[in-house]
Amino acid sequence: MVAPDLDAAMSPDTVERLNAAMEGRYRIEQPLGEGGMAVVYLADDLRHERKVALKVLKPELAAMVGAERFLSEIKTTANLQHPHILPLYDSGEADSFLFYVMPYVEGETLYERLERDKQLPVDEAVRIVVAVAGALDYAHRQGVVHRDIKPGNILMHDEQPVVGDFGIALAVGAAGGARLTETGLSVGTPYYMSPEQATGDMPVGPPSDTYALAAVLYELLTGEPPYPGKTAQAVLGRIIQGAPVSATALRASVPAHVDAAIRKALERLPADRFTGAQDFAKALQDPAFRHGHARTALASASHDPWPWVAAVLALTTVGFGSAWMRAAGARAPPRAVERFATPFLPGDELASLDGTGFALSPDGTMLVYSHVVDGTPVLVARRWNELAAVPIRETQGATNPVVSPDGLEVAFRQESEIKVLALAGGPVQNLGDGFPTAWGPDGRLYFTRQSGAALRVPAAGGAVDTVSISRAGRFHVVWHVLPGGRRALVNEFNADGSGRRIFGLDLDSGDRTDITPGGVARYLASGHLVFTDVDGGTMMAAPFDPGSMELVAPPVPIMDGLAAWSMADDGKLFYTLGGGGDSGPTLQMIWVDREGNATPVDPAWTWRSAGPDDSWSLSPDGSRMVLRELGVDGPDLWIKRLDAGPRSRLTADAADERWPTWRPGTDEVTFVSGRGGGFDVWTRRADATAEAQLLVDPERVIVTLAWSPDGEWLLLRTTGPRSQEGGRDILVMRPGVDSVPRPLLAEPGYDEMYPDVSPDGRFIAYETTETDRFEVYVSPFPDVGVGKWQISVNGGRQPRWSPAGNEIFFQGPNREMMVAEVDTEPAFRAGTPVELFESGDGWWSGDILGDIFVVAPGAQRFLMARDVNPTDAPDAEEPLFRAVLVNNFIEELKARVP
C-alpha cells in the first residue's frame, strides 16, 4: 500500500475550483486521503452544519465514466440503510468534478490499525468481520455488490466497523463499462480481488465480496494479505493461481474453524465458496465448522515464488518423497485436542440427551441425531463441514440411529421396527423388530430384541443370525465389532440395568472372555478400550489387547457426569452431560454501580461455578476478563471480551487452575495451577499462542495471587484448613530477582489474605484476623513493619484500591460494599468507611466468605457474579450446555492412560 500523495489534490487551483463550484453547499477544509478512485476531503456541509467526507472522482476516471451514467448508477446505493454501512448523503457534478458525499467518521480505518498494530486479537478480528459480513449480506439482498472491500474502506467508529464507499465501485464499473478495461484501469484493490475480478472473464457478484472480506480477515490475523507481491501483476498472478493458504499456519492461535472458514471463502472458484456473506459469518462463529484439509506452514503454497519448480521436483522425487513422508509420519506431532460446547445452530439442538438420540459416523465427519420439528422427533444429519443439520426423510419418531461404516446409510428404530435407508435416497428397508446397536465391517447390522438375545442381519435384508443368547432376565448388547469382523464387545446386564459387565465375543466360535464391569464399550486403534462404569456416568479407559480380549492395565477414570456418548474410529468424541452431580451453580457476570444497581455483562452468557475458589480479573484496559470456570475436566481459565464479545479458552487440561490475574505491562495471565503436582504459579499469554510457563514453584501451597501495579512484585497467599484460623499468610517475591518467595505478612496464629498494592506502589491493603475477626488494614509497601492503619471498623474483607488510589473498597461484616476515602500525601490518612450498597440475592461469595468483586476502570462500577438459579428457585433452568464435541480425543487418551 502506498501513502497518499496529496500535493496535486490540495493545489490551490484545485481547491479554489472545488469551493467555487460548490459554493453555498460545501466548503473544503483539508484533504484526508487518496484512494484508487477518488480524493477525499474534509468539508463543511453548509446546509446542515455538519462535517462530511467529500470524495471527488479522479479526473481521468471521471472523464471515462461520464457524469450522467455515474449519477444514474450511484442512485442504486443511495437507499442502503444498515448500521455497518456508511450512508451516501449526496452526489453530483460541479465544474466537471464528479463527487459524492458521506458522513465524516472520526476514527481510524482498519488499514491504519494494521499499520500500527500489525495484527489484531483473534476475537476482535472475527467480531469486526462478522459485522461487516452482515452489512454485505444486507447489500447483496438489495442487489448491490461492493467490489472494493479492503481495510482502507472499513472504518472503526466507537469500536464498531462501518463500511465506506458502498456501491461506488459498482457505480464506476457499471458506468465506465468496457472503457475501463480498454485503458487498463480496474475497479478494486489487487490484494483483495477475487480471481474472477482479477481476470475479468466472469461476472463479479456477492462471492467476490465474500472473498475480499476473507482476505481482509486473513490480513487482520496474520499481518499480511493471503497473496502478497511486490507488484500488482505478481499479486494478481498468485490470486488467479489460487494456491491454498492457512492463517493457522502463520499464527497458531487462530482457531481451526476460523481458518477453515477463511479457506472456503478464498476458494478459487466462486461455486466452491460460501453461498452468501452471512454463511461466512456463521462459519466464523461455529467452532465445529471444517473445510478441506488444514495447512501447515510448510505446506502453505502462498509464499512459494516458484510453484512450477515444486511441481517438477515432485515428478522426479516421488520415491524419495514417499520414503521421507513415511519416516516423518512416525515423528508427526500429536494433534491438538479441541472441545466445543453445544455445536449446534439455534433451532438445530438435540431432542434427547440419552444414548437413543445420536450417533457419530465411523469416520467422524457426521453426527446423526434426533431433533424436534413441529413437535415430532425426526433424525437429522449434521456434517461438520456444513453449517446446518439436514433432516433425514421418513424418520419421524425414529430413535437409536446407527451409521454404516462407509457413512452412506443409517439404521434406526421406528415404531418397534429396525429400518435402514440410504442418505442419498432410495427405498427404506424394514428388518423386523429390535433395537439396532452396531454395524459390522461385513455389512451386517447387530441388534437386540426384547428376549434379551443379541442378533445380526444383513443391512440389505436376509437371514437373521443369533450372536449371543442371554440367561433368563439378562440382556446382551453388541456395542462394537472390532476391526476384521471376528470379535465384538458385548454388554450383559439385568433388565433393570444393574449388574453390567463387558465381555469379548468370538463371533465365529461363540467363545466369551470376561473383560471388566462396565457398560457401553468401544475399542480404538490406539490400543485403548473406552467404556462407561456400571452406573453409566463415568467414562473409563484402559490399554487393551484385542487378541486376548484382556485389559493390559487397570482402567483410569476419564470424565464424570455423562449421559451418553459416541466415538468415531479416529477418536472424535461426542457426548452429553447428565443433570446434577458435581456440576456447580450457573452464574452470570454483572456490573454493579455504586448505588448497587446490577446489570448483566452479557445477558446471553452464563457459566458454571467451580466452587468457592472462583475468581476473575479485568485486563488493564477493562476490555477483557479472565475467569475460572468449571468444565467437563475440572476448572479451567477462559478469556471473555466485554461486554458481549466472544470467549476463548486459556487452559485446557485436567489440572485445577485458579485465581487468574493479568500481569502488568504484559498481555499475560498469571494463575495458580495443580498441573505440576502442587499448586504452583504459572503464566501464559492471553491469546494462548505459547504454552504456559512455570513462574514460581514454592514449597507451600499457593491459592491466590496479586501483582504490584509496576509488575515488579508478586504477592502470593498460602492456604490453611477452612475450619481453622492461621496458616494463611501473604508471601512476596520479585520474579527474575528472587529465587523463592519470602513471608511478608505472616503473623503466627492469624490469617492474612487478599493483598492489594496501591496504584503508586507505596502501600498495601490486606485483611487479617489479628483482632479475632477479619479487618482491613493498610501498611507501607514493601516495608510493612514501619506502620499500620486500620480501615474497617466492624469487620472487613477483600480490600481493593481504586485506580486513582484515593479510595479503598471492601466488604463489611454482612457482605455490604464499603468505601473509605484515603490520602497518601504528605502522610497516609483514611476517612470513616461508608456503605455504598448491600449484597444482592444470589451474589456470589468467594473463598472464606465475602462476595467476589473487581473494581472497574474509573471506579464507578464493580465486576461481580450472581447465581441465576438460587437453590430455592421453583423453576431452576437447565445448564447452559449439555452436549460436547471433542476433536482428537485419542491424543488425550494417549497422554492420560498408560
Side-chain angles (χ1 to χ4, degrees):
M1 297 181 182
V2 180
D5 178 9
L6 302 181
D7 291 342
M10 196 53 184
S11 67
D13 290 343
T14 301
V15 174
E16 184 177 349
R17 282 182 58 198
L18 281 169
N19 278 330
M22 299 183 185
E23 184 177 3
R25 297 177 62 188
Y26 302 104
R27 180 175 61 245
I28 292 175
E29 291 190 0
Q30 65 183 54
L32 295 175
E34 181 179 9
M37 293 184 294
V39 178
V40 187
Y41 298 91
L42 174 63
D44 287 321
D45 181 349
L46 300 177
R47 296 178 180 176
H48 304 98
E49 298 182 352
R50 60 186 176 183
K51 300 293 183 184
V52 295
L54 190 147
K55 303 190 177 188
V56 180
L57 254 61
K58 291 182 175 181
E60 65 273 23
L61 191 60
M64 280 179 287
V65 169
E68 184 176 351
R69 288 292 306 277
F70 174 73
L71 297 177
S72 174
E73 293 293 341
I74 205 171
K75 290 179 181 178
T76 307
T77 71
N79 293 320
L80 293 179
Q81 300 292 327
H82 190 276
H84 295 294
I85 293 178
L86 200 64
L88 180 70
Y89 279 168
D90 191 11
S91 61
E93 179 187 15
D95 190 13
S96 77
F97 293 108
L98 293 182
F99 70 92
Y100 55 99
V101 182
M102 292 184 164
Y104 171 64
V105 177
E106 293 186 2
E108 62 182 355
T109 65
L110 284 184
Y111 169 72
E112 294 166 327
R113 174 74 182 277
L114 281 170
E115 287 286 287
R116 184 181 73 249
D117 295 341
K118 306 308 179 187
Q119 296 100 16
L120 271 64
V122 174
D123 53 356
E124 182 179 3
V126 171
R127 175 184 65 83
I128 290 171
V129 168
V130 166
V132 174
L136 289 175
D137 177 71
Y138 164 78
H140 294 162
R141 285 185 280 111
Q142 315 308 311
V144 178
V145 180
H146 192 289
R147 297 190 179 204
D148 196 19
I149 292 293
K150 59 184 178 181
N153 273 339
I154 302 174
L155 299 90
M156 297 303 297
H157 176 61
D158 197 21
E159 300 186 357
Q160 295 297 320
V162 184
V163 184
D165 284 359
F166 219 111
I168 303 305
L170 172 64
V172 171
R179 286 177 294 170
L180 289 176
T181 305
E182 293 169 359
T183 58
L185 289 174
S186 62
V187 176
T189 305
Y191 289 127
Y192 316 100
M193 279 187 178
S194 64
E196 62 270 22
Q197 195 172 1
T199 60
D201 59 356
M202 293 177 63
V204 175
S208 291
D209 278 352
T210 307
Y211 181 101
L213 185 58
V216 170
L217 178 56
Y218 183 96
E219 186 172 9
L220 295 179
L221 295 172
T222 68
E224 61 181 41
Y227 300 105
K230 294 183 178 179
T231 66
Q233 290 80 2
V235 172
L236 295 178
R238 287 186 172 184
I239 289 174
I240 293 170
Q241 185 188 50
V245 297
S246 170
T248 299
L250 298 183
R251 185 175 175 185
S253 62
V254 176
H257 70 285
V258 173
D259 183 58
I262 293 173
R263 286 188 281 108
K264 182 174 177 66
L266 291 179
E267 286 283 3
R268 188 169 61 87
L269 296 177
D272 291 337
R273 299 177 208 147
F274 292 100
T275 56
Q278 199 58 31
D279 287 340
F280 179 42
K282 290 179 181 178
L284 290 173
Q285 300 172 88
D286 181 4
F289 180 79
R290 294 294 182 271
H291 174 71
H293 298 286
R295 308 284 172 174
T296 64
L298 180 64
S300 177
S302 63
H303 303 288
D304 182 358
W306 301 302
W308 59 272
V309 174
V312 172
L313 289 175
L315 292 175
T316 59
T317 60
V318 171
F320 170 78
S322 298
W324 182 86
M325 286 300 292
R326 287 194 297 271
R331 301 190 301 271
R335 296 167 296 172
V337 178
E338 303 170 322
R339 281 182 169 80
F340 306 113
T342 319
F344 302 101
L345 294 177
D348 281 349
E349 298 86 352
L350 285 167
S352 174
L353 299 176
D354 63 27
T356 68
F358 60 86
L360 277 171
S361 61
D363 65 0
T365 62
M366 173 179 63
L367 181 78
V368 173
Y369 65 94
S370 178
H371 168 64
V372 176
V373 176
D374 296 330
T376 301
V378 298
L379 294 182
V380 297
R382 167 67 195 279
R383 300 184 187 274
W384 303 122
N385 65 345
E386 300 293 341
L387 292 172
V390 177
I392 301 175
R393 60 190 175 85
E394 300 184 57
T395 60
Q396 289 79 4
T399 62
N400 301 84
V402 179
V403 183
S404 64
D406 58 11
L408 301 179
E409 297 176 281
V410 61
F412 52 89
R413 176 177 167 85
Q414 187 180 52
E415 296 180 350
S416 303
E417 302 288 335
I418 299 174
K419 298 182 180 181
V420 176
L421 62 78
L423 294 173
V428 176
Q429 180 73 41
N430 193 324
L431 300 180
D433 67 299
F435 299 82
T437 59
W439 205 315
D442 60 356
R444 285 188 284 189
L445 190 68
Y446 291 75
F447 63 98
T448 296
R449 284 182 173 158
Q450 292 185 353
S451 64
L455 307 104
R456 63 184 177 185
V457 63
V464 175
D465 294 334
T466 299
V467 174
S468 180
I469 299 176
S470 63
R471 301 190 307 270
R474 300 279 284 177
F475 283 78
H476 283 181
V477 174
V478 176
W479 287 125
H480 186 210
V481 180
L482 273 59
R486 292 182 53 197
R487 297 179 178 88
L489 297 172
V490 183
N491 197 208
E492 182 179 17
F493 52 89
N494 294 321
D496 61 0
S498 63
R500 292 181 176 272
R501 294 201 67 85
I502 300 168
F503 64 87
L505 178 67
D506 188 310
L507 295 172
D508 293 331
S509 66
D511 293 341
R512 296 175 50 174
T513 303
D514 187 68
I515 298 175
T516 181
V520 181
R522 199 188 199 288
Y523 172 72
L524 293 176
S526 61
H528 295 97
L529 181 70
V530 182
F531 60 97
T532 52
D533 65 355
V534 293
D535 295 324
T538 299
M539 177 178 287
M540 311 290 292
F544 182 70
D545 182 352
S548 65
M549 302 294 278
E550 295 178 344
L551 299 182
V552 178
V556 174
I558 301 299
M559 69 176 75
D560 296 322
L562 292 177
W565 57 280
S566 179
M567 189 173 291
D569 292 337
D570 64 354
K572 186 189 293 287
L573 170 67
F574 183 86
Y575 65 91
T576 54
L577 297 171
D582 296 329
S583 59
T586 300
L587 302 184
Q588 180 184 61
M589 299 306 302
I590 53 175
W591 292 116
V592 182
D593 63 22
R594 294 175 74 114
E595 285 74 42
N597 302 308
T599 304
V601 170
D602 184 346
W605 168 55
T606 57
W607 54 282
R608 305 295 287 179
S609 165
D613 289 321
D614 286 338
S615 47
W616 46 88
S617 173
L618 278 173
S619 61
D621 63 358
S623 65
R624 291 170 292 169
M625 68 173 294
V626 57
L627 80 160
R628 175 183 187 250
E629 177 177 350
L630 180 64
V632 295
D633 295 327
D636 281 311
L637 305 182
W638 291 76
I639 304 291
K640 161 76 171 173
R641 183 163 290 278
L642 303 177
D643 281 342
R647 300 166 65 238
S648 60
R649 193 166 184 164
L650 183 63
T651 64
D653 51 62
D656 184 356
E657 273 93 22
R658 60 183 65 182
W659 210 258
T661 305
W662 245 273
R663 186 173 186 177
T666 73
D667 197 35
E668 297 179 2
V669 174
T670 308
F671 56 94
V672 176
S673 176
R675 64 182 63 193
F679 282 96
D680 304 324
V681 182
W682 295 71
T683 187
R684 189 177 191 186
R685 285 182 54 88
D687 59 9
T689 55
E691 292 300 318
Q693 301 295 319
L694 179 64
L695 186 64
V696 184
D697 183 7
E699 294 182 358
R700 302 177 64 179
V701 175
I702 301 302
V703 180
T704 67
L705 303 173
W707 284 96
S708 61
D710 59 7
E712 180 179 357
W713 297 90
L714 177 63
L715 296 100
L716 310 96
R717 199 264 287 175
T718 64
T719 189
R722 290 183 180 274
S723 60
Q724 178 180 333
E725 185 177 340
R728 301 177 183 88
D729 298 323
I730 296 172
L731 313 181
V732 69
M733 69 176 298
R734 292 169 295 176
V737 178
D738 303 325
S739 58
V740 295
R742 61 176 174 84
L744 179 71
L745 295 160
E747 289 292 330
Y750 303 126
D751 286 329
E752 294 88 9
M753 299 170 56
Y754 292 109
D756 194 39
V757 179
S758 61
D760 61 8
R762 296 169 52 208
F763 299 92
I764 180 173
Y766 58 98
E767 64 179 68
T768 177
T769 58
E770 65 179 68
T771 58
D772 296 327
R773 65 181 176 192
F774 281 113
E775 296 283 7
V776 173
Y777 286 82
V778 168
S779 291
F781 181 80
D783 301 319
V784 296
V786 301
K788 181 189 295 185
W789 299 272
Q790 184 172 339
I791 306 300
S792 60
V793 178
N794 296 313
R797 302 183 182 94
Q798 297 190 53
R800 293 287 179 264
W801 292 87
S802 67
N806 60 341
E807 294 177 306
I808 294 177
F809 302 95
F810 63 93
Q811 294 188 358
N814 298 312
R815 296 167 53 199
E816 64 269 37
M817 183 67 73
M818 309 291 294
V819 63
E821 294 185 0
V822 297
D823 190 354
T824 60
E825 296 293 346
F828 183 86
R829 292 173 295 172
T832 302
V834 297
E835 179 181 323
L836 290 178
F837 54 83
E838 296 181 353
S839 176
D841 292 338
W843 289 9
W844 198 237
S845 299
D847 185 35
I848 316 298
L849 302 179
D851 294 337
I852 310 170
F853 73 95
V854 174
V855 183
Q860 296 305 304
R861 60 180 184 171
F862 310 90
L863 183 62
M864 306 178 74
R866 64 185 174 194
D867 188 346
V868 299
N869 299 315
T871 56
D872 58 349
D875 298 312
E877 297 178 0
E878 291 294 313
L880 179 63
F881 68 89
R882 283 290 188 88
V884 180
L885 175 70
V886 186
N887 287 332
N888 308 319
F889 182 71
I890 199 168
E891 301 295 343
E892 184 167 323
L893 286 179
K894 293 176 183 178
R896 298 180 60 181
V897 181

